[in-house]
Amino acid sequence: MKLHSGLPYWIVKNQLFDYYNPLRKDVSADVVIVGSGITGALAAHELCKAGLDCCVVDKRSIATGSSAASTALLQYEIDLPLHQLADKIGEENAAFAYRSCLESISDLERILKETGVNADFERVPTVFYASDAKGEDIITKEYEMRRRHNLPVDMLSKEDLKRRYGMNTYAGALTNGESAQADAYKAAVGLLEHHLGRGDLRVYTHTEIADIEEGNDGCRLISVDGHTIYCRYVVVATGFEAGRFLPENVMKLTSTYALISHPVDSRLIWPDRALIWETADPYLYMRTSSGNRIIIGGEDENFGNPKRRDRLLRKKVRKLEEKFHSLFPDIPMTAEMAWCGTFSTTDDGLPFIGPWDDGDRVYFDLGYGGNGITFSVIGAQIIRRALTGCPDRNDEIFGFKRLD
C-alpha cells in the first residue's frame, strides 16, 4: 500500500538517495532490522555502536515510506496530555514517559552531532494552546501536573498569546527551548550512509520479507524472492505495516494531511519559530522550515482506504488554510505543496517497543502516534539494552505487557 500521496516537501527538498541493493543470496547477521526509515536507521545506529553485526532490509528505496512524509516536530509532549495519560497508566508512569521523551530530543541531537549528520535539527519552543473554552481547562490541568513533576512548562494567558505570538485563541502552555524540529528523511538517510561508509552495516533495498520464522536459537527471514537471512534477532521497524507480524491488532490507522506554504516574509513569522499545536482532537499543528515556509498538518480522520484518503486531499488542505488564517489573520500564507499519509495511533498515545512475549527473538520498534521520532530514539535504546543484557524500565511502560 502507498503510505503517502501528494508531494511531500522532503522529497522535493532533498536529493533522493540512489541506493539499489536487493538481496540476491542467502546471508546471515546478528540482527536484521526490517524498515529503513528513521526508526530503523536509529535502531541500526544503536546496534552497530554496540558491536552487533546488523543488516537493514526494506521493500522500498531507503527512507521513502512514512519518514518521507513526516513533519518532524520533536516535542516531549505526547498525543495524550500528561494528566489524561496519568488516568490510563498512573501518574508516575505517565511522568516517566514524558521525561523519557524529553531526554530523547537531546539524545537525538547528540547522535546527529557524533555522526556528523546534518538533518536540519533546530531547537525551538513549543506553544500548546487551548482551541476553545474547554481547552483552557486542559491547559490548566496540564500545567499543574507538569509543574508537580518538574517538567518544563510556563503558562500563557490569552493576552500573552496575542501580544507575543499574534494568535487569536485562548490560554496556552509554553515549553521554552526543550523542543526541536528536523528533517526525518535526511536524518534516516544520513545515519544509514554513516554506517555504510564505516562498513559496519549492510542495507538490502527492494527486498520484501514474506515471513519471519522464530526458533530457539534464532530466526529465519524469507524474502518474497525466496532468499533467506539467518539471524539471532529481528527488529521490526515498519510502523503500521508491522501488523502482519503481530499476533493481534494493537493500533488503529489514521489518515493525516499536511501542507507547506510559499516562502513567507521572515518578519511576519511568529517569534522564535515555535512549534504550535492545540488541545482539539484531532489537533492542528504547525512549524516553520529553514526557508521561511510554514508547515501545517492535521485534519486527521480514521483511515478507510488509500483512494478515499487521497480524494480528500484538496478539501483537507483548504480546511488547514482556513484554520491557520483564523489563528494568524495577519500572516499571508498560501499552500504550495500538500500531501497526505497513513499512520498508526494507540489508545494511550504510547508506542509499542520490545518482544510480544518474554523470550521472543522478534522485537518490535513501533513509534505510533505523533511522537514517532522521539519514540524511535527511545525504542532504539531499549532494544540495544535488551540485546546486550541491560534491563530498562522503559520496556515496562512502552512494551506489550501494558495490554494485559
Side-chain angles (χ1 to χ4, degrees):
M1 187 182 86
K2 288 178 64 180
L3 300 187
H4 54 76
S5 185
L7 192 60
Y9 172 60
W10 314 115
I11 296 296
V12 177
K13 173 178 173 286
N14 298 300
Q15 180 177 348
L16 283 173
F17 186 35
D18 293 326
Y19 185 88
Y20 181 75
N21 185 35
L23 182 66
R24 292 190 171 97
K25 63 179 181 179
D26 295 352
V27 297
S28 62
D30 289 334
V31 186
V32 177
I33 301 155
V34 185
S36 70
I38 186 61
T39 305
L42 284 164
H45 172 71
E46 288 291 327
L47 296 174
C48 286
K49 272 190 66 179
L52 294 167
D53 176 28
C54 302
C55 71
V56 170
V57 180
D58 200 310
K59 65 182 181 182
R60 302 179 177 87
S61 295
I62 285 176
T64 54
S66 295
S67 293
S70 171
T71 47
L73 282 71
L74 308 177
Q75 304 165 215
Y76 84 87
E77 296 96 335
I78 294 168
D79 281 353
L80 211 61
L82 178 60
H83 69 279
Q84 294 177 12
L85 181 61
D87 291 338
K88 288 183 174 288
I89 67 172
E91 189 169 324
E92 292 301 321
N93 283 343
F96 186 86
Y98 263 63
R99 199 168 293 112
S100 296
C101 288
L102 179 62
E103 293 170 357
S104 73
I105 297 172
S106 294
D107 290 341
L108 178 61
E109 184 176 23
R110 172 185 50 78
I111 289 167
L112 296 174
K113 284 181 178 178
E114 70 185 19
T115 56
V117 173
N118 176 14
D120 297 335
F121 182 96
E122 180 185 4
R123 287 280 187 175
V124 289
T126 292
V127 173
F128 180 39
Y129 72 91
S131 313
D132 48 30
K134 181 180 177 182
E136 287 189 282
D137 184 54
I138 293 174
I139 294 293
T140 300
K141 290 178 179 178
E142 192 68 3
Y143 172 79
E144 291 172 351
M145 186 169 287
R146 290 194 206 174
R147 292 288 292 179
R148 188 157 64 244
H149 290 277
N150 296 315
L151 290 165
V153 64
D154 290 306
M155 196 74 170
L156 296 172
S157 67
K158 180 177 182 178
E159 292 72 27
D160 291 333
L161 287 169
K162 180 63 177 177
R163 184 181 66 256
R164 294 175 60 174
Y165 295 98
M167 296 171 64
N168 286 336
T169 185
Y170 296 78
L174 173 68
T175 302
N176 198 2
E178 304 294 343
S179 307
Q181 58 190 25
D183 180 332
Y185 177 81
K186 281 181 76 174
V189 169
L191 288 171
L192 293 175
E193 276 192 294
H194 172 78
H195 287 285
L196 283 169
R198 288 170 58 92
D200 57 4
L201 177 68
R202 290 166 286 162
V203 179
Y204 299 105
T205 62
H206 306 90
T207 300
E208 183 173 359
I209 299 302
D211 194 21
I212 299 175
E213 298 176 355
E214 185 175 358
N216 293 330
D217 299 323
C219 301
R220 297 172 66 237
L221 291 85
I222 303 167
S223 75
V224 168
D225 294 331
H227 300 299
T228 299
I229 308 176
Y230 301 92
C231 60
R232 292 165 55 200
Y233 298 99
V234 176
V235 177
V236 178
T238 55
F240 78 82
E241 290 185 307
R244 60 184 294 195
F245 301 117
L246 284 164
E248 61 185 68
N249 184 38
V250 297
M251 45 72 179
K252 64 178 181 179
L253 298 183
T254 302
S255 297
T256 191
Y257 299 83
L259 65 84
I260 186 163
S261 73
H262 288 279
V264 173
D265 188 328
S266 61
R267 295 170 295 181
L268 299 178
I269 293 177
W270 55 89
D272 306 319
R273 297 176 175 266
L275 309 181
I276 297 174
W277 66 306
E278 63 173 333
T279 56
D281 184 18
Y283 57 84
L284 179 76
Y285 56 93
M286 60 191 76
R287 56 165 286 193
T288 61
S289 75
S290 57
N292 294 325
R293 297 174 184 266
I294 297 169
I295 300 173
I296 308 168
E299 281 298 304
D300 300 354
E301 62 174 53
N302 292 335
F303 176 79
N305 59 65
K307 290 183 179 179
R308 168 176 161 73
R309 177 197 68 194
D310 297 352
R311 282 198 304 269
L312 290 172
L313 181 57
R314 288 180 181 272
K315 177 182 177 182
K316 295 290 189 178
V317 167
R318 285 196 299 271
K319 286 188 175 182
L320 291 175
E321 289 178 317
E322 290 169 3
K323 288 182 176 181
F324 177 86
H325 290 305
S326 176
L327 189 64
F328 289 106
D330 297 328
I331 301 180
M333 187 282 302
T334 305
E336 184 158 49
M337 304 171 213
W339 63 96
C340 53
T342 300
F343 72 105
S344 302
T345 59
T346 59
D347 289 338
D348 55 16
L350 297 177
F352 281 106
I353 300 165
W356 182 264
D357 287 317
D358 289 341
D360 286 357
R361 290 179 172 271
V362 177
Y363 283 71
F364 293 90
D365 192 357
L366 308 176
Y368 295 147
N371 296 70
I373 297 174
T374 53
F375 287 156
S376 294
V377 175
I378 294 169
Q381 294 168 343
I382 289 174
I383 292 170
R384 185 250 303 157
R385 289 171 187 145
L387 299 193
T388 55
C390 300
D392 191 327
R393 184 189 167 187
N394 274 316
D395 60 8
E396 299 174 12
I397 296 172
F398 298 128
F400 292 98
K401 289 180 181 178
R402 72 179 192 272
L403 294 174
D404 297 339

